[in-house]
Amino acid sequence: MYGMRRWVVAGMVGVLAAGACAPGAHDDDVNEPEEAGESTPPLSANAPAPAPAPALDPAAVQARIDARRDSIRAAFARVNKLKWREVWGLRRDKNAEQIARAQSLGVRVSGEAQIAQLARQGRLVALEDSTEYWVLRKMTHSVPYMTPDGHAMLREVGRRFHARLDSLGLPRFRMKVTSALRTDETQAELRKINPNASQTVSSHEYGTTLDVSHERFAAPAPPRDASPEWALEVVMMDTVVKYYGKELQAELGRVITEMRAEGALMVMMEDAQPVYHMTVARRFRGAR
């Protein structure tokens, strides 16, 4: 396995290096006609030639990736998994209680036309596909919209989650949002295939509630100044994070517990569907 990983890294380094420094990589642009009034100034005979992109040494890259992987594993070893008292605290907000709060803070949605109307009015906000805090999983029975307060709640959860990861010396892994706004039609369809779906109304129908996986997490968002090695780091982190879902579950759960104690949200930690089912519990200042 270790030898195969080295082979994969060497191959990817070769691809990255070729794309970065191959002369003529953009030769297909040389015949593009210039815009009227524009010309390319002649290159001075004394002008220094551009420095070639540094070659990537597969062995050195592999050593850096391995060292980074080992440091992440060591940091995860210091994380305590959820204790039973913590799990109990994450399962106290029953469905009826979350529905009542959703009805008081959200808006009932009946179909796509109303979603579009409420979005134009600013009463619903689209969840971005990918941010520094989360990525969206494919949604089959919901749509990625929330009330402004719900959107603000999710961002605050993400901000605090990353603060905890920073304090532990861990990468800023991202949450995976699996479900958001449902209409009465999609909720009815979900009941046919998911026995855990609410048999009456669901808090998901008010734009105040979402589900976030507590088993699966995504690699960090790419930095603006990402190096050519970033793609290799992502491959490594995507592999590592599969083995530490319980540790990330615990740190995310502690953020949620903290915000619950502040009256910011309600939560039910589910098992059949391995998600934190969260409902916004108050207005958020500055929610857009």
Side-chain angles (χ1 to χ4, degrees):
M1 179 63 72
Y2 185 74
M4 179 177 292
R5 187 169 63 246
R6 283 186 174 277
W7 180 82
V8 171
V9 169
M12 292 185 70
V13 168
V15 171
L16 291 171
C21 59
H26 302 288
D27 285 351
D28 56 342
D29 293 336
V30 297
N31 293 324
E32 285 291 317
E34 296 176 348
E35 295 291 336
E38 294 184 1
S39 62
T40 303
L43 187 65
S44 169
N46 297 321
L56 297 176
D57 179 358
V61 170
Q62 181 66 64
R64 287 192 291 270
I65 296 296
D66 286 349
R68 177 65 170 145
R69 179 203 60 212
D70 292 344
S71 71
I72 293 172
R73 287 177 172 173
F76 270 125
R78 297 189 292 270
V79 177
N80 294 318
K81 298 177 183 178
L82 288 175
K83 297 178 173 60
W84 72 267
R85 287 186 179 275
E86 293 178 298
V87 173
W88 176 79
L90 289 162
R91 290 177 171 164
R92 296 172 63 186
D93 297 325
K94 304 303 181 185
N95 190 45
E97 297 167 346
Q98 293 200 43
I99 291 172
R101 191 61 57 89
Q103 290 172 333
S104 67
L105 293 176
V107 54
R108 185 81 180 272
V109 179
S110 60
E112 293 183 5
Q114 189 182 12
I115 291 172
Q117 180 183 15
L118 292 170
R120 288 193 298 269
Q121 296 171 353
R123 298 173 67 188
L124 287 178
V125 178
L127 291 177
E128 301 89 339
D129 289 339
S130 176
T131 74
E132 61 184 308
Y133 300 126
W134 71 77
V135 296
L136 297 186
R137 291 273 299 273
K138 182 179 180 181
M139 298 182 182
T140 57
H141 292 85
S142 67
V143 290
Y145 283 88
M146 293 198 75
T147 63
D149 292 314
H151 186 274
M153 174 194 72
L154 180 60
R155 290 195 65 83
E156 181 62 12
V157 170
R159 186 190 68 79
R160 296 193 193 192
F161 182 46
H162 279 182
R164 291 191 71 93
L165 297 183
D166 289 347
S167 70
L168 294 165
L170 285 166
R172 291 184 169 185
F173 292 105
R174 294 181 286 173
M175 300 176 285
K176 290 190 175 183
V177 180
T178 64
S179 184
L181 176 66
R182 299 175 193 160
T183 65
D184 50 0
E185 292 180 354
T186 57
Q187 182 66 22
E189 292 173 359
L190 187 60
R191 291 189 195 104
K192 298 175 183 178
I193 61 172
N194 184 355
N196 296 295
S198 174
Q199 297 303 308
T200 57
V201 67
S202 168
S203 56
H204 279 281
E205 296 176 53
Y206 294 87
T208 56
T209 302
L210 53 76
D211 295 339
V212 173
S213 175
H214 60 59
E215 282 191 349
R216 301 288 183 231
F217 295 82
R224 292 183 179 179
D225 57 346
S227 70
E229 293 178 23
W230 176 252
L232 301 174
E233 280 207 51
V234 168
V235 172
M236 177 270 291
M237 287 189 284
D238 273 337
T239 301
V240 168
V241 76
K242 293 176 182 178
Y243 296 94
Y244 294 99
K246 293 295 185 183
E247 286 79 2
L248 290 175
Q249 174 194 82
E251 292 308 311
L252 178 56
R254 287 166 187 140
V255 166
I256 294 170
T257 296
E258 178 181 77
M259 291 181 63
R260 181 185 182 277
E262 296 169 4
L265 59 78
M266 306 176 79
V267 61
M268 174 56 67
M269 182 180 181
E270 299 181 2
D271 284 332
Q273 300 292 323
V275 298
Y276 287 126
H277 173 87
M278 292 183 286
T279 296
V280 66
R282 62 164 170 79
R283 300 294 183 191
F284 275 72
R285 181 179 300 176
R288 63 180 181 88

